Amino acid sequence: MNNKAFNPFEMAQAQFDKVADQIDLDAATRDLLRFPLREYHISIPVRMDDGSVRIFRGFRVQHNDARGPAKGGIRFHPQETADTVRALSMWMTWKCAVVDIPLGGSKGGVICDPHNLSMREQEQICRGWVRQLSKVIGPLVDVPAPDVMTNAQHMLWMLDEFEIIHGNKLPGFITGKPVGMGGSLGRTEATGFGVIFALREALKELGIRPEDTTASVQGFGNVAQYAIKLYEQIGGKVICVSCWDQNDQTSYSFKKESGIGFESLQNITDRFGGINKDKARDIGYEILPGDAWLGQDVDILMPAALEHQITGENVNKISRRVKIIAEGANGPTTPEADRIISERKIFLIPDFLTNAGGVTCSYFEQVQSNMNYFWEKDEVLGKLDVKMTSAFNAVSELARKRKLYMRDAAYYIAIGRVAQACKDRGWV
Ligand code: NAD
């Protein structure tokens, strides 16, 4: 989204095509899976606090639902595009398939900047989004969730609007709800913790102890924060974190060679994952340019902010010491960068496997909401660990056996499962 020439949907299609060629996917299945099944473009009129009316544009893209109801988050972002949402919906299909949960892939978005909107205005956008789409989403059709710059409060407004429209209590309509209002314990931590469950398995496979590693992270939002928290708990040390500065409209990296310390940094971070520069400087952080996180002399890189961050232009900044890249964000690495990462034999844990903890826990939330019976946090996180570990092991075993790049191995498994479901249904 930060580069006009970059088209995430073309990138998602290129990744798909590469593996479709390798597995000789038949022409009809390929044609079906290269594009979304359905997409909706909507306009949401909102009366602003100053009395004026503004129209916000939004999307919902359902890439594939052969394996079950579509599932995917809603992003609020000023540079949201239909192609970003298309790409993300496609990655959701592969993500649900690679962790083997019975869901398809979708994604939604609204072009807006919550930084500049009051809570009331945000509520109107949420309710308007549901009003425009209520006929084509639902607990057995397509289930939304939070994503970039949306949270549990947004989900609850959306659920409330959906239930008003349908005159029924339908808590399985949406996930990421507040705990106590149908949300699952562990959901907040799920994506970040899932990143570390996968990373822990990768370290095991490479025979490296977490205590002997350091990491540099892009982002300090939901995914990055919980990934850092658990990574520190298993013994790792994060020395650099990068995030967006809303005031300066640029990004900065925050470095502390002795280790950042999750809590001290969290205390000076706003709810959008922006770190206060002055306070950081006061507590001993070195403030560096936004892209400095990528060139750090560490063992592990975790891009956990947004797409298109490791590219053909900057991939050579990656230090020779880096052994693992764990992609917390969706689509952070371009195919050109992939080629170099693969040649350098860096162990890459691909996005739709690494960050599948969020959707897996969302699936657990749906199950709990539909049963109206809620599990303890340990039970949720325990089930999450089992799912992430077995998905990681299946992908890495295939990669080892067939000498595949990890991203390609994950695609082999995911595309294979979705293609089979389409075939079994008689679609192709
Ligand atoms: P978030 O909004 O909570 O945090 C985003 C973070 O990225 C913030 O710290 C922000 O300052 C930082 N950031 C934004 N632009 C940046 C830039 N140019 N340079 C450096 N930092 C920048 O979002 P999140 O929920 O943590 O999601 C992060 C990524 O993970 C996204 O790609 C999202 O699609 C993906 N993801 C999220 C979830 C989830 O459950 N939240 C699940 C799967 C995937």
Side-chain angles (χ1 to χ4, degrees), residues 2 75 77 88 92 95 107 146-150 187-188 190-192 217-225 241-246 250-253 269-275 290-291 293 303-307 309 327-332 351 354-359 362:
N2 61 342
R75 297 152 59 104
H77 199 283
L88 289 162
M92 283 305 295
K95 196 177 296 191
K107 205 76 175 190
D147 204 295
V148 173
M149 289 202 270
T150 56
R187 175 62 186 89
T188 314
T191 310
V217 181
Q218 188 188 36
F220 199 62
N222 172 265
V223 178
Q225 287 192 20
V241 163
S242 141
C243 72
W244 184 253
D245 187 302
Q246 184 60 19
T250 187
S251 57
Y252 294 105
S253 299
T269 299
D270 67 22
R271 66 197 164 95
F272 299 107
I275 299 167
D291 62 355
W293 74 278
L306 69 173
E307 61 275 12
Q309 296 304 300
E327 295 183 325
N330 288 313
D351 50 2
T354 318
N355 67 32
V359 75
S362 284

Side-chain angles (χ1 to χ4, degrees), residues 266-299:
Q266 201 188 32
N267 288 340
I268 55 167
T269 299
D270 67 22
R271 66 197 164 95
F272 299 107
I275 299 167
N276 184 310
K277 256 196 338 283
D278 298 328
K279 290 185 181 161
R281 209 176 275 114
D282 287 348
I283 56 172
Y285 284 88
E286 207 182 325
I287 318 286
L288 301 170
D291 62 355
W293 74 278
L294 186 67
Q296 297 301 312
D297 192 31
V298 290
D299 306 291

Side-chain angles (χ1 to χ4, degrees), residues 25 39 44 95 97 107 134 137 150 199 207 229 279 303 317 320 337 366 368 372 378 381 402-404 424:
L25 197 64
E39 60 178 69
I44 309 168
K95 196 177 296 191
K107 205 76 175 190
S134 68
I137 51 181
T150 56
L199 174 66
K229 186 175 179 184
K279 290 185 181 161
K317 289 188 180 162
R320 290 280 144 200
Q366 254 181 294
Q368 294 170 83
N372 207 6
D378 284 352
L381 294 175
R402 307 272 295 264
K403 298 201 179 350
L404 295 169
D424 290 348

